[in-house]
Amino acid sequence: MLYREEMKKPDGRSLTLYGRTPIRVEGEAPSPNREPLQANPHLRWHPLRGEWVAYASYRQGRTFMPPPEYNPLAPTRDPENPTELPQGEYQVAVFDNRFPSLAQAAHDPPREAVKTAPARGKCEVVVFTKDPSASLAALPLDHIELLMEVWGDRVALLGSDRCIKYVLPFENKGVEVGVTLHHPHGQIYAYPFVPPVPARMQAEELVHYRETGRPLLEEMIEGEVASGARILYLGEHAVSFVPPCARYPYEVWVAPRRAVPGFDRLTPAVRADLARALKTTLLKYDGLWQRPFPYLMAWYGAPADGHEHPESHLHAEFYPPYRSSDRLKYLAGTELAAGMFANDALPEEKARELINVEVVL
Amino acid sequence: MLYREEMKKPDGRSLTLYGRTPIRVEGEAPSPNREPLQANPHLRWHPLRGEWVAYASYRQGRTFMPPPEYNPLAPTRDPENPTELPQGEYQVAVFDNRFPSLAQAAHDPPREAVKTAPARGKCEVVVFTKDPSASLAALPLDHIELLMEVWGDRVALLGSDRCIKYVLPFENKGVEVGVTLHHPHGQIYAYPFVPPVPARMQAEELVHYRETGRPLLEEMIEGEVASGARILYLGEHAVSFVPPCARYPYEVWVAPRRAVPGFDRLTPAVRADLARALKTTLLKYDGLWQRPFPYLMAWYGAPADGHEHPESHLHAEFYPPYRSSDRLKYLAGTELAAGMFANDALPEEKARELINVEVVL
């Protein structure tokens, strides 16, 4: 059972609380500031890359390493210093980012030397737990399953807006990737177009499906399971592995074994196993060097275009910034300027390191 | 006049010295190690992204922040501790990277779960000057022109190899982008395919050229010159500007005003003005916060496929890691996972900051 309570913040932003038991909240939805949000981001077309770039110039002033006594993602204790969340009974919270790169009310983009458009869409913050000192890895399996249901609810809800074409849940974790708030949380971006990376993925998946009648990632996973050399977790319904084409040394993918287009289409059994695959991966990461392991985690699913996507295969890709315990992998010339990743490490070797980390769920 | 002297290092790598006056060198080409290079990188196909990834696992051991008394890019002083360069009369040096992601001798790639190929190609190091304490910005204009002739010579030479399809000169500068050697230098990657970013650029340029008969970037530059709002340098033949679609807050493009496919096709007059545009940009960067300004600089030209490319337009793109004097722009969820860049700053505002920096060439 998934309980959901929608609220409105005094500055107009929405807040949705989720839990396994009925939601109970004291008072109204809090907000660190009460002035109505003036977000009006716009898009500009990049003619040489053939892609949109989003501009939201007010973002420069966003929260940056607040003092430890103020955590905007913890439930409000002092009504004089409200945070983003209320006291009450709930487990996961989702609210509109105060500094969105994409906003539903975006309007009247400036005229520029390149084509422009309102940056319609939505940027949400997902608070994984009320406990500021927890982490996604530390959450109980049933809490991770709940989070996956929340992601499914958001993807379905945001995707039902006709101006939204793609919804991406992700988590940036660690100061190494620029994270300014350490309370466990992720984000969801709802785009008014399919962004370049998922668009490319979708195109490759579609070509393969049309040629073979099989989902591309499902076939890759069968090969990984058969070889076993890079498998971190193998359950009845879900799997975690270092992909044979890893671009980052410690890249890992987590997925259902059979193609499912999105979180909102997972059966309870598959979701439960996917939660085990995810938690196993996260515990192996943290166990590798016996310290919190930074990463970017993104969950790719089907575009939100109202069509069936039997070729799409929900999965997470983890991009960790380290290439060894004390060296970062900097993205530089060949990665950022050419788009060809050069990996110092063989995926099989990095998989072995992670396989050797023992974890207890 | 461009003088060139080719030498062979004891480990088999090549070294080419360039100068405006005849090259004179004492002794043989030095090398920090004499064992023959065992570089055998391979490529793996990334099915979901439809792109190649290069694997060169020995690169983990590469030089990392050597002690200040040993600089492998300075001319050798102590024959017992040879560097990469000899004593002698020359101005710019190019040699094969000891830890290449791409190598001409690559052979017998491993069989893997995904398609593999030998990572044929070349990775060269370009030492801009013998002076370890200089910088590209600090070099005299005629030295920068010489460097552009060297880039042209390398692009033409590497591109004449039938297995090479694209040649990219670039410079990573600053610890913020992971640079381990501060002696002024750049790199050249010669790829056995057109990598994703220049491939996309080329495709957009070609479509535009076929539709309009005009090179895309040449038209953009005419618009920038007419507006003037983002122009950092405007000469008779070359220009420097913050593009209206900047993905990085301090992104700058430097280009000839008329389309030229590559360094090897520049006339002396255009090259001289392009050097002024480049030096102006670099001095403005360093002047902005009165300290060395880190960046990634990449020079895009036409593919090395033996065809004419009237649609291609040689230009540099600078991707600086800072979004303000004390804040880095981290690439995270939307940039790395979705491929949509979100920029905190309007290009016009950042252009104004750079326009206001006065420089003397």
Side-chain angles (χ1 to χ4, degrees):
Chain A
M1 187 65 192
L2 181 70
Y3 289 90
R4 175 171 76 178
E5 176 82 23
E6 291 185 43
M7 308 178 78
K8 208 57 139 183
K9 288 171 176 279
D11 60 1
R13 291 180 297 140
S14 60
L15 167 69
T16 312
L17 305 174
Y18 291 90
R20 289 277 184 231
T21 55
I23 311 299
R24 275 184 244 182
V25 181
E26 298 162 18
E28 64 167 358
S31 178
N33 63 337
R34 304 183 68 87
E35 309 81 60
L37 210 62
Q38 299 291 339
N40 189 20
H42 69 275
L43 301 172
R44 299 185 187 189
W45 185 248
H46 191 305
L48 286 183
R49 289 191 179 236
E51 68 188 34
W52 289 109
V53 182
Y55 296 88
S57 57
Y58 51 85
R59 292 186 79 229
Q60 289 269 14
R62 72 171 176 271
T63 314
F64 190 77
M65 286 292 178
E69 68 273 14
Y70 180 76
N71 170 4
L73 302 186
T76 300
R77 285 161 184 264
D78 172 10
E80 297 297 308
N81 284 301
T83 68
E84 294 285 8
L85 298 188
Q87 294 283 343
E89 283 176 36
Y90 60 91
Q91 291 173 280
V92 172
V94 178
F95 62 86
D96 292 344
N97 196 317
R98 260 175 78 196
F99 306 103
S101 299
L102 304 163
Q104 283 173 312
H107 60 91
D108 300 309
R111 279 171 169 256
E112 272 304 333
V114 288
K115 187 169 60 171
T116 63
R120 296 232 168 89
K122 214 150 191 271
C123 294
E124 296 186 331
V125 176
V126 182
V127 182
F128 295 160
T129 168
K130 286 189 284 189
D131 180 0
S133 61
S135 68
L136 186 53
L139 295 178
L141 283 169
D142 63 352
H143 196 121
I144 295 177
E145 288 177 53
L146 170 68
L147 176 60
M148 288 180 172
E149 283 188 73
V150 171
W151 280 330
D153 192 58
R154 302 317 298 176
V155 168
L157 189 76
L158 293 165
S160 69
D161 181 331
R162 289 180 57 153
C163 90
I164 299 300
K165 297 294 187 292
Y166 197 82
V167 183
L168 186 78
F170 62 90
E171 181 192 5
N172 304 322
K173 183 164 186 288
V175 290
E176 296 87 343
V177 297
V179 173
T180 54
L181 296 171
H182 299 302
H183 191 119
H185 73 288
Q187 299 180 60
I188 298 176
Y189 270 41
Y191 298 90
F193 51 84
V194 184
V197 173
R200 185 67 188 252
M201 204 175 282
Q202 187 62 21
E204 297 291 338
E205 288 177 321
L206 196 57
V207 164
H208 186 87
Y209 190 81
R210 284 182 176 152
E211 282 175 359
T212 67
R214 294 289 315 280
L216 176 56
L217 181 54
E218 191 175 294
E219 275 199 5
M220 278 186 79
I221 287 171
E222 283 177 12
E224 290 305 307
V225 170
S227 126
R230 289 173 292 261
I231 296 275
L232 306 186
Y233 173 86
L234 181 61
E236 190 182 346
H237 302 293
V239 66
S240 163
F241 60 102
V242 176
C245 52
R247 296 179 309 141
Y248 297 83
Y250 291 99
E251 183 167 343
V252 168
W253 295 0
V254 177
R257 289 174 67 172
R258 305 298 302 270
V260 179
F263 280 115
D264 52 332
R265 301 284 284 275
L266 292 174
T267 64
V270 176
R271 190 166 51 233
D273 206 28
L274 193 59
R276 294 178 72 87
L278 176 58
K279 187 173 167 78
T280 299
T281 303
L282 294 167
L283 289 175
K284 282 178 176 283
Y285 273 160
D286 287 348
L288 183 63
W289 300 317
Q290 299 290 315
R291 68 184 199 219
F293 190 88
Y295 56 76
L296 161 59
M297 170 186 75
W299 282 94
Y300 296 102
D305 55 10
H307 294 113
E308 286 297 309
H309 286 283
E311 77 285 0
S312 279
H313 193 142
L314 175 71
H315 71 287
E317 298 192 7
F318 284 86
Y319 306 152
Y322 280 102
R323 57 192 178 98
S324 65
S325 65
D326 59 352
R327 292 183 189 183
L328 292 168
K329 174 184 177 63
Y330 289 92
L331 302 186
T334 191
E335 288 89 3
L336 293 181
M340 186 198 79
F341 273 59
N343 192 340
D344 287 351
L346 292 180
E348 299 71 51
E349 292 167 1
K350 293 301 181 187
R352 182 54 51 197
E353 289 180 34
L354 290 167
I355 287 167
N356 288 341
V357 178
E358 288 184 33
V359 301
V360 181
L361 288 196
Chain B
M1 186 65 192
L2 180 70
Y3 289 91
R4 175 170 77 179
E5 178 82 22
E6 290 185 44
M7 306 178 79
K8 208 59 140 181
K9 287 170 177 282
D11 60 1
R13 291 178 297 140
S14 60
L15 167 68
T16 311
L17 305 174
Y18 292 91
R20 289 279 183 228
T21 55
I23 311 298
R24 277 185 243 181
V25 181
E26 297 162 21
E28 63 166 1
S31 178
N33 64 337
R34 304 183 69 88
E35 308 81 58
L37 210 62
Q38 299 291 340
N40 189 19
H42 70 274
L43 301 173
R44 299 186 187 190
W45 185 249
H46 191 305
L48 286 183
R49 289 193 179 235
E51 67 187 35
W52 289 107
V53 182
Y55 296 88
S57 57
Y58 51 86
R59 293 186 78 231
Q60 288 270 14
R62 72 172 178 271
T63 314
F64 189 76
M65 284 293 177
E69 67 274 14
Y70 180 76
N71 170 2
L73 302 186
T76 299
R77 284 160 184 267
D78 172 11
E80 296 299 309
N81 284 301
T83 67
E84 294 285 8
L85 298 188
Q87 293 283 343
E89 283 177 36
Y90 59 92
Q91 291 172 281
V92 172
V94 179
F95 62 86
D96 291 344
N97 197 317
R98 260 175 79 197
F99 307 102
S101 299
L102 304 163
Q104 281 171 313
H107 60 92
D108 300 309
R111 278 171 172 257
E112 272 305 333
V114 289
K115 188 168 61 172
T116 63
R120 296 232 168 89
K122 215 151 192 268
C123 294
E124 296 186 330
V125 176
V126 181
V127 182
F128 295 159
T129 169
K130 287 191 283 190
D131 179 0
S133 60
S135 68
L136 185 53
L139 295 177
L141 283 168
D142 63 352
H143 196 122
I144 295 178
E145 287 176 54
L146 170 68
L147 176 61
M148 288 181 171
E149 283 187 74
V150 171
W151 280 330
D153 193 57
R154 302 315 298 174
V155 168
L157 189 76
L158 293 164
S160 68
D161 182 331
R162 288 180 57 152
C163 90
I164 298 300
K165 297 294 186 294
Y166 198 83
V167 184
L168 185 78
F170 62 90
E171 180 191 6
N172 303 322
K173 184 165 186 287
V175 290
E176 296 88 343
V177 297
V179 173
T180 53
L181 297 170
H182 299 300
H183 191 120
H185 73 288
Q187 299 181 61
I188 297 176
Y189 269 41
Y191 298 90
F193 52 85
V194 184
V197 173
R200 185 69 191 249
M201 203 175 280
Q202 189 61 22
E204 297 290 338
E205 288 177 320
L206 197 57
V207 165
H208 186 88
Y209 190 81
R210 283 180 176 154
E211 282 175 358
T212 68
R214 293 291 314 279
L216 176 56
L217 181 54
E218 191 174 295
E219 275 198 6
M220 278 187 80
I221 287 170
E222 284 177 11
E224 290 304 308
V225 170
S227 124
R230 291 173 290 262
I231 295 277
L232 306 186
Y233 173 87
L234 181 62
E236 190 182 347
H237 301 293
V239 67
S240 163
F241 60 103
V242 176
C245 51
R247 296 179 311 139
Y248 297 83
Y250 291 99
E251 183 168 345
V252 168
W253 295 0
V254 177
R257 291 175 65 172
R258 304 298 301 268
V260 179
F263 280 116
D264 53 331
R265 302 285 283 276
L266 292 173
T267 63
V270 175
R271 188 166 52 234
D273 206 27
L274 193 60
R276 295 177 71 87
L278 177 58
K279 188 173 166 78
T280 299
T281 303
L282 294 167
L283 289 174
K284 281 177 176 284
Y285 272 160
D286 287 348
L288 183 63
W289 299 318
Q290 298 289 317
R291 67 183 199 222
F293 189 88
Y295 56 76
L296 161 59
M297 169 186 76
W299 283 93
Y300 297 101
D305 55 9
H307 294 114
E308 286 296 310
H309 285 282
E311 77 285 0
S312 279
H313 194 144
L314 174 70
H315 71 287
E317 298 192 6
F318 284 85
Y319 306 152
Y322 280 102
R323 58 193 178 99
S324 65
S325 66
D326 58 352
R327 293 184 188 180
L328 292 168
K329 174 186 176 63
Y330 288 93
L331 302 187
T334 190
E335 287 88 4
L336 294 181
M340 185 198 79
F341 273 59
N343 191 339
D344 287 352
L346 292 181
E348 299 71 50
E349 292 167 1
K350 293 302 181 187
R352 182 54 52 194
E353 289 180 33
L354 290 166
I355 287 167
N356 288 341
V357 178
E358 288 185 34
V359 302
V360 181
L361 288 196

